[in-house]
Amino acid sequence: MPKAGIKYGPRIAAPDYEEIALEAEKQVLAQLGIARPEDLVSKQPTDLIVKAWSALEQADAELGSYLDERDQALASLWFYDPRLGLARTAGLSTMGYRGAIARVVYGDKKHALPAVESNEALAALGKKLGVKRLEDAEAKLLEAAPIVYAARVRRDAAVRYMQEAVLALSLPPYGWTPEQIADHVGVERNLIYKQRAAARKRHGLA
């Protein structure tokens, strides 16, 4: 959020996150072996749940690899090279953007960002807090942010499809218990209980 007394450099053009999201959704469908969401009805839930879990794990791996890089780039820009519209550049809401910086700086996304009224004070505080000043922060942000955004979209989609498979396996003609489903996928049963509860709530069965 712009503050009086802070001088901002030019905006960094935002990637086309709408197109990135559409492509990410298509990638998940391809991983599940279907072309459209409505094709789920023809997919065996025993196969669907395994593939959805694999897609979820892949998305989590990308988040693990690129999330810190994105947030470190955001923090570097925020403290040392302020730009307008960084939230949009990163594909985040204003709250999400501030939370990303707070997470990497303070280890807590809910931590308030400091109210500093000059570029010099911001830079001094960043140095005091141990924020790395990245010379290529803009390039790193533009590299990592779209990857993180796509991974989150793929993860959300994979979770949704996994929940559908859990629900299908819980009902006739399968009637599997959460323990049986967990054993089939190779995950903790608590995860399956949570996925089943979420799916039942979405379908008005809770």
Side-chain angles (χ1 to χ4, degrees):
M1 183 178 296
K3 290 182 175 291
I6 302 294
K7 295 179 182 178
Y8 294 88
R11 293 177 184 269
I12 303 171
D16 187 344
Y17 284 112
E18 184 175 345
E19 181 61 31
I20 289 169
L22 290 172
E23 183 58 34
E25 290 273 1
K26 290 179 182 178
Q27 289 177 8
V28 173
L29 292 176
Q31 286 178 281
L32 301 181
I34 58 178
R36 305 168 304 168
E38 50 265 39
D39 295 335
L40 281 174
V41 294
S42 63
K43 197 76 176 172
Q44 284 289 332
T46 51
D47 179 53
L48 176 64
I49 194 170
V50 172
K51 290 182 176 178
W53 175 246
S54 177
L56 193 157
E57 286 189 306
Q58 288 180 27
D60 277 347
E62 286 199 2
L63 288 170
S65 297
Y66 288 95
L67 184 60
D68 280 348
E69 184 174 323
R70 183 201 69 181
D71 293 351
Q72 286 168 5
L74 277 175
S76 178
L77 290 165
W78 198 85
F79 281 97
Y80 304 116
D81 188 18
R83 304 290 190 92
L84 291 172
L86 276 180
R88 183 177 180 183
T89 303
L92 294 166
S93 65
T94 301
M95 183 177 295
Y97 154 68
R98 295 179 70 84
I101 297 171
R103 185 190 70 82
V104 77
V105 175
Y106 299 105
D108 178 6
K109 67 180 183 180
K110 295 182 179 180
H111 195 291
L113 294 182
V116 182
E117 300 299 334
S118 74
N119 295 66
E120 294 75 16
L122 265 179
L125 181 59
K127 185 176 181 180
K128 180 179 179 181
L129 291 171
V131 178
K132 293 180 182 178
R133 183 168 197 165
L134 305 175
E135 296 300 325
D136 54 351
E138 179 178 335
K140 285 187 176 297
L141 177 61
L142 289 174
E143 175 191 5
I147 295 174
V148 170
Y149 191 91
R152 287 202 186 281
V153 172
R154 295 203 322 274
R155 189 186 197 284
D156 289 347
V159 167
R160 188 168 65 250
Y161 293 129
M162 188 174 179
Q163 289 172 352
E164 292 299 314
V166 168
L167 182 60
L169 288 171
S170 301
L171 300 173
Y174 301 95
W176 286 17
T177 66
E179 288 76 14
Q180 288 174 308
I181 299 172
D183 287 342
H184 176 68
V185 184
V187 299
E188 295 292 328
R189 66 179 183 177
N190 287 345
L191 172 64
I192 301 301
Y193 276 105
K194 290 178 182 178
Q195 302 282 35
R196 186 181 66 173
R200 288 182 62 87
K201 183 177 181 180
R202 186 164 60 246
H203 286 277
L205 300 174

